[in-house]
Amino acid sequence: MAASYYMAFQVNCSIEGRNSLSHNFDNVKTSLSSVFKPILRELQQFADQPLLPSQSNFAPVDEMKEAIPITDIRGKIPHNFQEGVYIRNGPNPLFGALKLTKSIFGRSSHVWVEGEGMLHALYFNRDSDGRWNVAYNNRHVETETFKLEKQRNKPSFLPAIEGHSPAILSAYLLNLLRFGKVNKYISNTNIFEHSGKYYSAAENHTPQEIDIFTLKTLENWDVNGAWKRPFTSHPKRAPGSGELVIVGVDAIKPFVEVGVISADGKELVHKVDLKLNRCSLCHEIGVTQRYNVILDFPLTIDIKRLISGGPL
């Protein structure tokens, strides 16, 4: 799975995504809270995962939120270089590092792609004298779960991807009971454009619309409520029609669905269940005039395998 993606925009520089939990679930969550508090106190002992020397490039950086001018430019920007914005999206853990937990259930930890998404932008603008003005900014993608942990000012979601099976299952359950979500929405893999709007995305949730000038997160994009499942990080524009082809992979049936979004981005014009018998982590797709190419990878998510003691 790619951890970051680069995309240049030519502009003028002057498991589960379900809506809300029912009241019944809220009541159950409240009544069970006293039961799970002792377990949670033991589970929620977060520790930083150490970085290997080869992983130093993945260490988090401080958030800026305001652009600063770049004055030390080594080399020369080509005269015919286009003005605009160059944006990178990649994981940047909110609380200093990826986390791990240890408990009576074993160990669970984040994998290296799970840091919260951060957008890094370089702005290129040439003045009337032909001199280049370059500025840099970065900002976290503020998903629902990012704002939740930011408000609490501490790690809150238990790692639920890698580790011992009982620890992962307990993390899923406790995250769901406490927050209504089994894991965080990371939005850290890609940034793409459709119909003049820009979106940050990762495979585990719907995308977030982004203002590429300020890097501010605007809102989730669920195609006016028509797409209620994970959303591929790398959608493709259909040749000729301008429609956007997307794929949504989930750990429960339907495992893989393909959708087609109208060229204006306002309508989901087609959706189909591919009827696959497993959750294949399809990170990339191909689109031609006649075919959509869906990659059925051997890398899978299998809840039954996890319950039987194997890896997720």
Side-chain angles (χ1 to χ4, degrees):
M1 181 184 296
S4 61
Y5 184 77
Y6 299 88
M7 186 171 185
F9 301 115
Q10 183 179 353
V11 297
N12 189 342
C13 281
S14 346
I15 2 184
E16 52 320 77
R18 313 292 191 253
N19 267 339
S20 60
L21 299 176
S22 66
H23 293 298
N24 288 336
F25 181 83
D26 288 334
N27 292 335
V28 171
K29 182 172 65 173
T30 301
S31 64
L32 288 177
S33 62
S34 60
V35 176
F36 284 105
K37 278 182 180 178
I39 300 174
L40 188 59
R41 277 196 297 270
E42 180 174 349
L43 278 173
Q44 202 163 14
Q45 301 298 317
F46 290 95
D48 290 350
Q49 288 184 221
L51 281 174
L52 300 173
S54 61
Q55 298 172 323
S56 60
N57 190 48
F58 300 115
V61 298
D62 293 335
E63 185 177 43
M64 298 175 57
K65 292 189 177 181
E66 299 291 338
I68 60 170
I70 303 299
T71 57
D72 183 10
I73 299 176
R74 301 181 184 183
K76 185 178 180 180
I77 301 174
H79 179 76
N80 60 351
F81 192 80
Q82 291 184 338
E83 296 179 274
V85 187
Y86 187 84
I87 299 181
R88 173 190 183 269
N89 189 3
N92 195 80
L94 175 59
F95 295 106
L98 297 172
K99 303 301 179 184
L100 59 85
T101 60
K102 294 181 180 179
S103 70
I104 57 174
F105 300 108
R107 176 190 58 81
S108 70
S109 61
H110 290 132
V111 295
W112 65 280
V113 298
E114 285 192 88
E116 284 77 7
M118 175 174 275
L119 303 176
H120 303 260
L122 281 171
Y123 301 87
F124 292 87
N125 186 29
R126 192 162 48 200
D127 61 26
S128 58
D129 295 329
R131 291 177 297 186
W132 283 102
N133 298 306
V134 182
Y136 167 79
N137 192 14
N138 69 35
R139 192 166 186 165
H140 273 114
V141 181
E142 297 186 359
T143 65
E144 299 166 40
T145 58
F146 173 92
K147 289 186 284 189
L148 187 153
E149 287 199 318
K150 189 76 171 178
Q151 184 178 26
R152 294 167 63 92
N153 198 30
K154 62 181 181 180
S156 301
F157 283 83
L158 298 167
I161 295 293
E162 188 174 65
H164 298 107
S165 176
I168 296 173
L169 288 170
S170 62
Y172 272 133
L173 177 61
L174 290 169
N175 287 342
L176 183 62
L177 287 172
R178 298 173 69 216
F179 307 117
K181 301 167 179 58
V182 299
N183 211 340
K184 294 191 289 187
Y185 302 147
I186 50 179
S187 196
N188 68 6
T189 310
N190 189 15
I191 182 165
F192 65 90
E193 179 272 337
H194 186 61
S195 188
K197 295 182 178 181
Y198 301 88
Y199 302 95
S200 172
E203 264 85 5
N204 72 336
H205 190 43
T206 52
Q208 286 70 48
E209 185 183 350
I210 300 296
D211 181 328
I212 63 171
F213 294 102
T214 65
L215 303 185
K216 182 179 179 181
T217 305
L218 302 178
E219 61 182 356
N220 291 340
W221 186 41
D222 59 7
V223 198
N224 291 320
W227 190 262
K228 298 292 187 181
R229 61 185 291 113
F231 192 109
T232 180
S233 293
H234 300 291
K236 294 292 188 296
R237 188 170 288 113
S241 70
E243 294 171 323
L244 193 70
V245 180
I246 63 176
V247 171
V249 174
D250 209 340
I252 58 176
K253 288 185 176 182
F255 292 125
V256 181
E257 288 189 336
V258 174
V260 179
I261 299 173
S262 60
D264 61 10
K266 297 179 179 179
E267 183 182 1
L268 185 69
V269 297
H270 183 66
K271 182 172 73 170
V272 62
D273 177 6
L274 295 187
K275 307 289 186 184
L276 296 187
N277 60 4
R278 62 179 185 172
C279 174
S280 176
L281 284 178
C282 180
H283 177 74
E284 182 62 278
I285 61 174
V287 176
T288 73
Q289 285 189 323
R290 297 184 60 188
Y291 299 102
N292 295 326
V293 182
I294 311 299
L295 306 176
D296 184 11
F297 286 114
L299 180 61
T300 61
I301 292 178
D302 191 330
I303 300 298
K304 292 182 179 179
R305 181 174 61 208
L306 179 65
I307 293 172
S308 65
L312 176 61

